[in-house]
Amino acid sequence: MAGLHVRSLLVTGANRGIGLGLVQHFLRMPNPPQWIFAGCRSPKGQRAGLHHGDAGSDLPCVGSAEVTNPASIKAAAAKVGEHLGGSGLNLLINNAGIIKPKTLDSETLEDMTEIYTTNTAGPLLMGQAFLPLLKKAAQGSPGSGLSCSKAAIINISSIGGSFSSFFTWDVIQATSYRCSKAALNMLSKCQSLAYREHGVLCVALHPGWVQTDMGSSPPVTVDDSVQGMLKVLSSLSEKETGTFLDWEGNVIPW
Ligand code: NDP
């Protein structure tokens, strides 16, 4: 990926699905990042597809990076900071997410709360906890512009959270999920406004409708989605901070 030179990155929900695909693609780059932190909430759990030392690299799994638990997030930030020594973190990809494919009538307070906590509050807390490391990376990069190679937060959102496209409504209503992603889009905008002065780019990114445990017979493979997203990441600059894009680089209406 010509325009993407990342020294360090962290992906949440990296044990399977799109998160695992992202880590694998970064590992396969001709010049892979020096530090790839794979955030897994149960690094030793049955569903963990990625472990410390995979692909022959020094791949630290940041312990139980449970994005709904502030103590776990704080511990993960401390661990990443230790590994990085004095340097900063270039890229934080908030990928972990959950969905409950319910109808509007069957949504509950518990569903709304659980999904909002994971999909929206998680990325907020991750951004807060990792901001000092992101700032450090931005300060260590020359130039005044913004880029993913310098310092960035990428929130993996969904077109399901767009008010303008009621994508797949007939198949999955999943109102709690749609609301959580619409709120994640607003969070991404707020982060872009607050963190621009620190040199940190922030975008919301829809990965496509992807063949993972979450999707049901979707058209896009994990490989194609990740390749597309990495191409988009390589092209981002200050013009795009605070926008909502998809894996092919198209702007998605809020
Ligand atoms: P998967 O269900 O395959 O994977 C979800 C990942 O998130 C798993 O690694 C899971 O860990 C992790 N996760 C869930 N809750 C938490 C938590 N509280 N703390 C830490 N990790 C957690 O989903 P996808 O890979 O498909 O989705 C990745 C992202 O892409 C999500 O944000 C999703 O909303 C978004 N997206 C996906 C689309 C698709 O078609 N697949 C479409 C649009 C958006 P564990 O194994 O422990 O459960």
Side-chain angles (χ1 to χ4, degrees), residues 12-20 39-42 47-48 64-69 94-99 117-119 155-160 167 177 180-181 184 205-216 218 220 222 229:
T12 64
N15 55 298
R16 60 190 170 99
I18 294 168
L20 177 59
C40 318
R41 62 174 156 178
S42 333
R47 307 194 82 165
S64 51
E66 162 61 68
V67 304
T68 61
N69 179 340
N94 284 315
N95 163 76
I98 52 170
I99 190 169
T117 305
T118 306
N119 294 358
N155 291 321
I156 303 297
S157 186
S158 170
I159 198 169
F167 185 68
Y177 180 77
S180 74
K181 293 295 189 181
L184 178 63
L205 188 59
H206 168 61
W209 194 17
V210 190
Q211 292 164 15
T212 65
D213 294 339
M214 186 179 285
S216 56
V220 184
V222 170
M229 288 195 288

Side-chain angles (χ1 to χ4, degrees), residues 4 38 50 77 87 96 120 124 129-130 151 153 171 182 184 196 204 214 243:
L4 193 59
L50 187 70
S87 60
T120 316
L124 165 81
F130 284 88
I153 299 176
V171 187
L184 178 63
R196 177 191 277 270
M214 186 179 285
T243 59

Side-chain angles (χ1 to χ4, degrees), residues 46-57:
Q46 281 189 331
R47 307 194 82 165
L50 187 70
H51 298 279
H52 189 123
D54 257 15
S57 72

Side-chain angles (χ1 to χ4, degrees), residues 1 11 13-26 28 95 156 205-231 247-248:
M1 217 45 67
V11 182
N15 55 298
R16 60 190 170 99
I18 294 168
L20 177 59
L22 280 163
V23 168
Q24 287 171 332
H25 276 252
F26 273 105
R28 278 189 230 130
N95 163 76
I156 303 297
L205 188 59
H206 168 61
W209 194 17
V210 190
Q211 292 164 15
T212 65
D213 294 339
M214 186 179 285
S216 56
S217 317
V220 184
T221 64
V222 170
D223 270 357
D224 286 349
S225 165
V226 168
Q227 253 168 30
M229 288 195 288
L230 293 184
K231 196 166 164 211
W247 63 293
E248 295 177 303

Side-chain angles (χ1 to χ4, degrees), residues 108-163:
T108 63
L109 174 61
E110 287 72 27
D111 296 330
M112 288 295 282
T113 307
E114 184 189 351
I115 290 176
Y116 187 87
T117 305
T118 306
N119 294 358
T120 316
L124 165 81
L125 299 176
M126 288 293 297
Q128 290 172 335
F130 284 88
L131 183 61
L133 288 171
L134 290 162
K135 275 187 190 173
K136 206 180 266 186
Q139 283 157 8
S141 297
S144 57
L146 303 182
S147 74
C148 289
S149 302
K150 187 176 192 175
I153 299 176
I154 306 300
N155 291 321
I156 303 297
S157 186
S158 170
I159 198 169
S162 168
F163 289 86

